[in-house]
Amino acid sequence: MLRHIARRLGSLHGQIQFSNGLKGVSPNQLLSKETHRHLQSSLETISPISMMSLWPFSSQPRDFSQPNSSWSPEMRKVYDHYIALCDTDSENGEKQRGPWRKLPSYNRSIKYATAGIHLSKLIQAKARLFTRNVKEQGATFEYVVFVNKEEKRCVCVFQAGHLLEGAPGHVHGGAIATIIDTVTGSLAGFLSGPIMTANLNIDYRSPMPLGSVVLIHSALDRIERKKTYITCKVTSTDESKLYTEATALFVSIGVGHLFGSRN
Amino acid sequence: MLRHIARRLGSLHGQIQFSNGLKGVSPNQLLSKETHRHLQSSLETISPISMMSLWPFSSQPRDFSQPNSSWSPEMRKVYDHYIALCDTDSENGEKQRGPWRKLPSYNRSIKYATAGIHLSKLIQAKARLFTRNVKEQGATFEYVVFVNKEEKRCVCVFQAGHLLEGAPGHVHGGAIATIIDTVTGSLAGFLSGPIMTANLNIDYRSPMPLGSVVLIHSALDRIERKKTYITCKVTSTDESKLYTEATALFVSIGVGHLFGSRN
């Protein structure tokens, strides 16, 4: 979808087509008053396709949710487990269906978009997604989100780096809230299109040591008009230990603000 | 209190004396099972005193909540307002009482403490507090916490940097949750001694543009045995705009884990 929006920015004609259900949005619908903190979550749900020439940045965006040398064997093992359950291209070129799909994860959102209205160009140029703002691999958030469309749920594998400290040796409650917001928002965006977080309610059950690899399980509770309710729990990779439980509420929004609309 | 704990680490005799109310803790009390994500919050409540020679790091810790060149005039103005209401030393050396007190803010917790049990020394040595893990001034969390002991409340001045992005041009919900956890935890630690976060319930009312300077008002709701309930709201500096509302629950804990206890 980042590429669809890139296409829109490159040429303000035609319709945007969101692969997550929002199809054929009219220009009027695009120009809503609302802003949207979680748009990039839903933006992340689109797999790379064509239109790269209209990508507004100087180079192809990097998917940061790929294995790297900072990943522990435990992180890699869970990743490999879910990757094996994703869609694959077989040798004869046919697509084989799998129940899971890996979402890509970039380190920034769209340049000169909402930001153009009220932010300096310096801030816009330097802005980076909070969860991907440290270059050192393994230092902060290493994570991959897999979504299961049929079951309306997703699983995130998360390895917590040494720069996420709260109390000595343990992950900061805010870092846990951040990954929960990110993962539940990705699922809500995947299911409901552009959304923003309205509520997070987080119960911290057990402290999480730095360096832990955990699973963040998110599932759709219900959708009521513009409201999407998601449940979430954070467990050890064998699911024997519960670290955190949460509920999240997201509200559907328009996307006009991205294009500079104040109307 | 960091220095008290440093003293404890340097010489495991005598009693720790917490200036926030926990006085004369016995060694048995120190060796509890529990860990404590928010200990550093309460650690921050102690103003620099003596015992520097027992500080376990190579140099005196830096207080990151001092004005720097990244602060906007708005940030500096609010800071100056509260600083003028803090305790001061007059010319004749007498202390003049003010209703507010500025809490210092460091970028790490205690080396080789809880961490010693389950973390590699590499992770321990590199660990940094989540809210102070980026060296570039102004890039992430610029904040200062002022506490009013009489009124059992605190105010944090927070300037949100360009690396905290969620949706284009706006602060990530997780970054807002992080500063709320930090500020409410500082107040709970100040009032109740060592605590850890048990619940955060956050209502996001309005998106916050990157670069915003906001106030985070936290106040004690009630204390019930080991539970400390804090209310919180995030507003513009003139308090005309409400960005976020939250409640937080903290549970009092022992501090034994810091010294390597698993019992």
Side-chain angles (χ1 to χ4, degrees), chain A residues 59 151 228 239 241:
Chain A
S59 60
E151 298 179 4
T228 302
E239 300 187 34
K241 185 175 182 69

Side-chain angles (χ1 to χ4, degrees), chain B residues 110-141:
Chain B
I110 297 166
K111 241 178 180 174
Y112 300 79
T114 312
I117 297 171
H118 50 73
L119 296 184
S120 73
K121 292 203 172 180
L122 184 65
I123 288 184
Q124 293 172 44
K126 293 167 74 182
R128 291 293 179 278
L129 188 66
F130 182 40
T131 54
R132 299 293 187 191
N133 69 6
V134 170
K135 285 183 182 170
E136 183 189 349
Q137 290 182 338
T140 57
F141 299 92

Side-chain angles (χ1 to χ4, degrees), chain A residues 35-37 40 109 119 127-128 130 133 162-163 165-167 170 173-174 178 198-204 207 210, chain B residues 35-37 40 109 114 119 126-128 130 133 162-163 165-167 173-174 178 198-204 207 210:
Chain A
T35 56
H36 23 74
R37 294 178 38 261
Q40 86 287 351
S109 44
L119 295 184
R128 291 292 179 279
F130 183 41
N133 68 6
H162 54 269
L163 296 187
E165 192 172 50
H170 290 88
T178 298
N199 176 266
L200 283 181
N201 191 347
I202 303 174
D203 286 317
Y204 297 93
L210 287 180
Chain B
T35 55
H36 23 75
R37 293 178 38 261
Q40 85 288 349
S109 44
T114 312
L119 296 184
K126 293 167 74 182
R128 291 293 179 278
F130 182 40
N133 69 6
H162 54 271
L163 296 188
E165 191 172 49
T178 297
N199 176 266
L200 283 180
N201 192 345
I202 303 173
D203 286 317
Y204 296 94
L210 286 180

Side-chain angles (χ1 to χ4, degrees), chain B residues 155-170:
Chain B
V155 169
C156 171
V157 198
F158 168 45
Q159 178 179 295
H162 54 271
L163 296 188
L164 303 184
E165 191 172 49
H170 290 87

Side-chain angles (χ1 to χ4, degrees), chain B residues 6-259:
Chain B
R7 173 165 44 174
R8 179 79 181 170
L9 288 171
S11 153
L12 280 169
H13 299 294
Q15 293 181 316
I16 294 185
Q17 182 171 314
F18 298 119
S19 79
N20 52 5
L22 248 186
K23 295 188 180 185
V25 179
S26 75
N28 281 345
Q29 286 173 288
L30 286 170
L31 298 175
S32 87
K33 277 187 186 175
E34 298 157 303
T35 55
H36 23 75
R37 293 178 38 261
H38 256 291
L39 190 59
Q40 85 288 349
S41 299
S42 55
L43 297 185
E44 292 176 358
T45 62
I46 312 305
S47 59
I49 45 170
S50 56
M51 304 306 295
M52 285 314 301
S53 64
L54 291 173
W55 176 248
F57 308 123
S58 56
S59 59
Q60 188 166 345
R62 175 179 156 201
D63 177 6
F64 284 81
S65 60
Q66 300 284 354
N68 66 55
S69 61
S70 78
W71 286 20
S72 68
E74 185 181 10
M75 175 90 175
R76 184 59 195 253
K77 186 179 169 188
V78 181
Y79 173 85
D80 289 343
H81 169 78
Y82 281 98
I83 278 289
L85 299 172
C86 287
D87 288 345
T88 51
D89 292 322
S90 65
E91 286 179 6
N92 59 13
E94 284 179 9
K95 202 153 188 130
Q96 295 192 317
R97 299 289 297 170
W100 292 89
R101 179 174 171 189
K102 175 184 167 301
L103 303 184
S105 171
Y106 308 113
N107 75 341
R108 67 172 316 180
S109 44
I110 297 166
K111 241 178 180 174
Y112 300 79
T114 312
I117 297 171
H118 50 73
L119 296 184
S120 73
K121 292 203 172 180
L122 184 65
I123 288 184
Q124 293 172 44
K126 293 167 74 182
R128 291 293 179 278
L129 188 66
F130 182 40
T131 54
R132 299 293 187 191
N133 69 6
V134 170
K135 285 183 182 170
E136 183 189 349
Q137 290 182 338
T140 57
F141 299 92
E142 290 290 337
Y143 66 101
V144 191
V145 180
F146 295 93
V147 66
N148 187 316
K149 194 175 177 181
E150 291 254 321
E151 298 179 5
K152 294 186 168 65
R153 68 188 179 99
C154 71
V155 169
C156 171
V157 198
F158 168 45
Q159 178 179 295
H162 54 271
L163 296 188
L164 303 184
E165 191 172 49
H170 290 87
V171 183
H172 196 289
I176 297 170
T178 297
I179 196 74
I180 287 174
D181 186 30
T182 298
V183 178
T184 56
S186 294
L187 180 62
F190 187 84
L191 297 172
S192 300
I195 41 86
M196 62 181 288
T197 319
N199 176 266
L200 283 180
N201 192 345
I202 303 173
D203 286 317
Y204 296 94
R205 302 294 189 197
S206 184
M208 186 187 297
L210 286 180
S212 295
V213 177
V214 299
L215 295 181
I216 297 149
H217 313 263
S218 292
L220 176 67
D221 179 17
R222 65 192 190 279
I223 295 177
E224 293 174 356
R225 300 169 60 97
K226 288 192 169 184
K227 295 180 179 177
T228 302
Y229 295 83
I230 306 286
T231 61
C232 183
K233 64 175 182 171
V234 184
T235 70
S236 55
T237 56
D238 66 1
E239 302 187 32
S240 66
K241 185 174 182 70
L242 177 66
Y243 288 109
T244 319
E245 287 182 292
T247 60
L249 165 61
F250 298 91
V251 177
S252 294
I253 55 163
V255 298
H257 219 78
L258 251 194
F259 306 102

Side-chain angles (χ1 to χ4, degrees), chain A residues 22 51 118 120 183 195 210 230 234 241:
Chain A
L22 248 187
M51 305 305 297
H118 51 72
S120 73
V183 177
I195 42 84
L210 287 180
I230 306 286
V234 184
K241 185 175 182 69

Side-chain angles (χ1 to χ4, degrees), chain A residues 215-262:
Chain A
L215 294 180
I216 297 149
H217 312 263
S218 292
L220 177 67
D221 178 18
R222 63 192 191 278
I223 296 176
E224 292 175 356
R225 298 170 62 99
K226 288 191 169 185
K227 295 180 178 176
T228 302
Y229 294 84
I230 306 286
T231 61
C232 182
K233 64 176 182 170
V234 184
T235 71
S236 55
T237 56
D238 65 2
E239 300 187 34
S240 66
K241 185 175 182 69
L242 178 66
Y243 287 109
T244 320
E245 288 182 292
T247 60
L249 166 61
F250 297 90
V251 177
S252 295
I253 54 164
V255 297
H257 220 79
L258 251 195
F259 305 103
S261 169
R262 282 191 133 172

Side-chain angles (χ1 to χ4, degrees), chain A residues 12-176:
Chain A
L12 280 169
H13 298 295
Q15 293 180 317
I16 294 187
Q17 183 170 314
F18 297 120
S19 78
N20 53 4
L22 248 187
K23 295 188 181 185
V25 179
S26 77
N28 281 345
Q29 287 172 286
L30 285 170
L31 298 175
S32 88
K33 278 186 184 175
E34 298 157 303
T35 56
H36 23 74
R37 294 178 38 261
H38 257 290
L39 190 60
Q40 86 287 351
S41 299
S42 55
L43 297 184
E44 291 177 358
T45 62
I46 311 306
S47 58
I49 46 170
S50 57
M51 305 305 297
M52 286 313 303
S53 64
L54 290 173
W55 177 248
F57 307 123
S58 55
S59 60
Q60 187 166 345
R62 175 179 156 201
D63 177 5
F64 283 81
S65 61
Q66 299 284 354
N68 66 55
S69 61
S70 78
W71 285 21
S72 68
E74 185 181 9
M75 175 90 175
R76 185 58 196 254
K77 186 179 169 188
V78 181
Y79 174 85
D80 289 343
H81 169 79
Y82 281 99
I83 278 290
L85 299 172
C86 286
D87 288 344
T88 51
D89 291 322
S90 66
E91 285 179 6
N92 59 12
E94 285 180 9
K95 200 149 188 132
Q96 294 191 319
R97 299 289 297 171
W100 292 89
R101 179 175 171 188
K102 176 184 167 299
L103 303 185
S105 171
Y106 309 112
N107 76 341
R108 67 173 316 182
S109 44
I110 298 166
K111 242 176 178 174
Y112 301 79
T114 311
I117 297 171
H118 51 72
L119 295 184
S120 73
K121 292 202 173 182
L122 184 65
I123 287 185
Q124 293 172 45
K126 292 167 75 182
R128 291 292 179 279
L129 187 67
F130 183 41
T131 55
R132 300 292 188 192
N133 68 6
V134 170
K135 285 184 183 168
E136 183 189 350
Q137 290 182 338
T140 57
F141 299 91
E142 290 290 337
Y143 65 100
V144 190
V145 180
F146 295 94
V147 67
N148 187 317
K149 194 174 178 180
E150 291 254 320
E151 298 179 4
K152 294 185 168 66
R153 66 187 179 101
C154 71
V155 169
C156 170
V157 198
F158 168 45
Q159 177 180 295
H162 54 269
L163 296 187
L164 303 184
E165 192 172 50
H170 290 88
V171 183
H172 196 290
I176 297 170

